[in-house]
Amino acid sequence: DLVRVLGTPLHPKSYVENCCASEDFLSIVVPLLYIDDDGRDASAWSDRFPLEYIYELRRTYTLDGAINEFTQEYLCRAEDQASKPFKPGMFKYAAPSPAYHAYEVMVDPARTVNTKTSARTGYVVWHWEGRTLYVAEAFGAFHKPDEIIDTICKLNEQYNPVKVGVEADGLEEFIMQPLRAEQAKRGISIPLYPQRAPRDKNSFISSLQPFYTAGDVVHVKPLPDLESELLNFPTGRVDVPNALAYAIRMRAGKPVYEDFTSENVF
């Protein structure tokens, strides 16, 4: 007799997952959203569920702190939320104080944008207020080198950062020379600080977890790319959290005077 099982995997040890793992069953998994051969998002049923609809659906789930449910129901990925290092309740939102802030920018450039396993370029802007890390911008994009350079220039103009970090490998291969030419063309100077890529990316990103647990990370606004990737971590894309993890490495040491504040700048 034939047995057909239809279901949504709600847990790694659920009946549906056990059937998928069994040699007695032929398994077919159809996620609503997947990565195509060009490394871009694609809809499994584009006529009924276009990408704009899926993105809005994912954004709604993310803002409701239910990205795990979205992953289960629409991406067919069974995950045990208890094992995830980052939880929805860790995200705090608040505006920074109305004072001077020493913004820092980190760019994690992707070398390719046309392969199935290609990563996105991650961009993050932050500043520290005491021990609190305020994240102003955090997003990922499939950018070509000229688009990466243009985005770096725009972030530099908008935030006037004291540091702009770029992963050294990408910087040396295809970013540095064009970026120098663009600075000369625009008549600007960008405070570049090359950063060496971590040996263990997962451990590098996990270093953010104690800061989120302690409430020492504040998002200035909803940051869907960052939040969804953190909640899915260690599975899925990690381009934006990887860029944010550099905030710990790039953070300046203690000031000469412990009571130094923005008032001293004035």
Side-chain angles (χ1 to χ4, degrees), residues 66-94:
I67 190 62
N68 187 58
E69 286 76 3
F70 176 84
T71 300
Q72 293 172 337
E73 295 288 346
Y74 296 101
L75 303 186
C76 302
R77 291 207 299 260
E79 297 179 340
D80 183 6
Q81 186 64 19
S83 66
K84 296 286 187 178
F86 299 96
K87 309 291 193 300
M90 293 181 178
F91 300 146
K92 295 172 55 179
Y93 302 92

Side-chain angles (χ1 to χ4, degrees), residues 106 108 167 198 201 204-205 208 238-246:
M106 182 62 203
D108 180 7
E167 271 203 1
K201 184 172 289 188
F204 187 58
I205 295 172
L208 291 167
V238 294
D239 316 304
V240 183
N242 184 67
L244 179 60
Y246 281 94

Side-chain angles (χ1 to χ4, degrees), residues 27 50 56 82 142 158 182 194 208 256:
S27 302
E56 179 61 24
F142 293 103
Q158 181 178 356
E182 192 66 21
L208 291 167
V256 176

Side-chain angles (χ1 to χ4, degrees), residues 51-62:
L51 286 178
E52 292 75 14
Y53 171 84
I54 299 175
Y55 291 153
E56 179 61 24
L57 184 67
R58 182 174 61 185
R59 188 186 72 85
T60 302
Y61 271 78
T62 299

Side-chain angles (χ1 to χ4, degrees), residues 91-124:
F91 300 146
K92 295 172 55 179
Y93 302 92
S97 61
Y100 166 78
H101 300 304
Y103 285 105
E104 295 176 333
V105 176
M106 182 62 203
V107 180
D108 180 7
R111 298 185 185 90
T112 59
V113 296
N114 58 355
T115 64
K116 189 173 182 179
T117 58
S118 65
R120 297 183 302 173
T121 294
Y123 303 90
V124 181

Side-chain angles (χ1 to χ4, degrees), residues 204-234:
F204 187 58
I205 295 172
S206 294
S207 65
L208 291 167
Q209 196 261 358
F211 290 85
Y212 273 98
T213 300
D216 291 337
V217 181
V218 175
H219 296 179
V220 173
K221 60 184 178 182
L223 303 168
D225 285 356
L226 172 62
E227 292 162 11
S228 62
E229 290 184 13
L230 283 174
L231 293 175
N232 285 327
F233 179 79

